[in-house]
Amino acid sequence: MDTPNVRDDEVVNDNHVVLMGNDEDDVVLEPTPGNDDDGVSDPTSGNDDDGVSEPTPGNDADGVSESTPGMFFKTEKELIYYYKQYGRQAGFGIMTQKSKREDDGSVRYVTLGCARGGKARKRITNMSKPRPTTKTDCKARINAVLADGVLRITTVCNAHNHRLSPQKARFFRCNRAIDDSVKRQLDINDKAGIGMAKSFNALVVEAGGFEKLPFIEKDARNYIDKARHLRLGKGGADALRGYFERMQYKNDEFYSSMDLDDEGLISSENTETFVWLFDTWLKCMDERAPKAIITNQDRAMKNAIAIVFPNTRHRYCLWHIMRKLPEKLGSHAEFKCGLRSALQRCVYDSQISDEFEKSWEVFIDTYNLKENAWLQSLYSERMYWVPVYLKNTFWAGMSTTQRSESMNAFFDGYVHLGTTLKEFIDQFDNALRKKVENEMAADFHSFNCTVPCISHLPVEKKFQAVYTNSKFKEVQSEVMGIIYSHCVVIKTEGAITTYQVNDQRVVEDGIKRLVESCN
């Protein structure tokens, strides 16, 4: 079955509303609800099993005749339901073409017709690209007049000037509706971060097929868009500001600041923006700048750090630099035959700066890389990324932006590049709730299970008592390192004792011996 194209300006309506056509003067009619359980009763004169009678056409040339005597309806809603069901069976959509009402809103007469009735308005701005229209000036219609408290059909015209298709009738706007239970499910799925495609497919599976649903995916998307608008307000920036204000009301220690321009949030990743960001961070931290900071090689960020954090030790993420080796040097004939490992040894194994300088010079000469611009730029900024030049600053064992990358991974499944600020608010709360739940599960695991000690060291026993299992395993890896280290006293001068630490570490080529001195 061919699927008809559906206009972008279509909207979802429930069974109590018939939205008329696409012209600007189309009428939206909301009939008075009935008293039956479903709000609709069968027409008095209909005898078909499905409760829908086909209006009897006359023999006039224009296809218009007096209706079957006695066909009347108690309410306008019953009339609309009757004609809509008939149109669905015949394969056309319906709309209200004309109506006359009293001051109290009750109808005096009404004309229901084919949704393709009327003529298209000429709103073409480009003659070479005419806009599609559903209008064919179809004359199919019924007319009902209020008499003795009921709506009685007076005329019927069943002659259409276009094709009919009962199989495609479910796509007509008047036949599509989303009930309250489905709306609730869509809302829940949206708040849980489930994409519309998956959410709609679940409804299709539950219903037993696309044809069993009384709406299409676009209707569900329209509903969610409107629900988000009502739930989160107008603009993304305003919604985010409101969220921050609510959080500050709940928690005195919550800090937020926003910088807006005429378009909303400022998003340019330039030096000026990063200066504002770091200045704001300083205000949040009572003007206490960080001792060290790790970033990628972004120039704007580097400039801003120099301006706002002049005394902060800045380093580049070593992992991001080393991962570029295949891209920058992979075309070299000896990349996999010594070049890569030689560069890694130069970077990771140098214990003093002179050792690195000599090793780098040998590496460049050996593989004839003096003209490589990328390596030249790295060497000029070696103070920002080579470990041997960063040993005088405490980094808590970090040389990469892994911690911030792990936060990016934390939001996976909740936000993505297409997430709006308004959606982000809901998803941020969902992500935080999930984080709290994961921490509770980890706490229970540590409460219910104990990781045995691997040594008799009292300090390991102490960490076992106060740390979670996952953190205690990190301590045990350090304890293992101590086991392979041998400390020798070199000299003692007053309160200062100098030790020589002989360490052995397992590397790819076997055992690596390290010698360090410490006081």
Side-chain angles (χ1 to χ4, degrees), residues 463-477:
F463 282 125
Q464 182 194 46
V466 298
Y467 275 5
T468 62
N469 288 344
S470 58
K471 185 58 66 176
F472 180 57
K473 289 180 180 179
E474 295 180 19
V475 173
Q476 287 190 323
S477 67

Side-chain angles (χ1 to χ4, degrees), residues 300-347:
M301 195 178 298
K302 179 185 177 183
N303 296 336
I305 290 172
I307 295 171
V308 183
F309 305 136
N311 299 318
T312 297
R313 188 67 169 96
H314 179 202
R315 79 183 294 175
Y316 294 150
C317 174
L318 184 58
W319 180 81
H320 278 95
I321 292 175
M322 300 306 287
R323 73 179 296 207
K324 293 180 181 178
L325 292 181
E327 174 190 348
K328 301 295 185 179
L329 302 175
S331 60
H332 196 286
E334 298 182 72
F335 178 73
K336 295 182 179 180
C337 302
L339 185 153
R340 183 173 189 167
S341 58
L343 178 57
Q344 290 174 336
R345 285 195 299 268
C346 176
V347 172

Side-chain angles (χ1 to χ4, degrees), residues 74-134:
K74 296 178 181 178
T75 65
E76 181 184 3
K77 184 176 182 179
E78 292 180 5
L79 173 65
I80 292 175
Y81 176 79
Y82 159 77
Y83 196 55
K84 182 162 61 175
Q85 291 298 99
Y86 167 64
R88 185 175 185 123
Q89 291 177 10
F92 67 94
I94 75 163
M95 69 180 219
T96 298
Q97 295 180 341
K98 291 187 298 184
S99 66
K100 178 72 174 180
R101 298 180 180 277
E102 302 289 358
D103 293 338
D104 61 359
S106 60
V107 66
R108 290 180 58 186
Y109 68 80
V110 61
T111 299
L112 303 179
C114 175
R116 304 195 70 173
K119 297 180 180 180
R121 293 182 178 273
K122 294 183 179 180
R123 292 175 288 187
I124 300 175
T125 57
N126 187 345
M127 295 299 295
S128 65
K129 296 181 180 179
R131 187 177 179 181
T133 179
T134 62

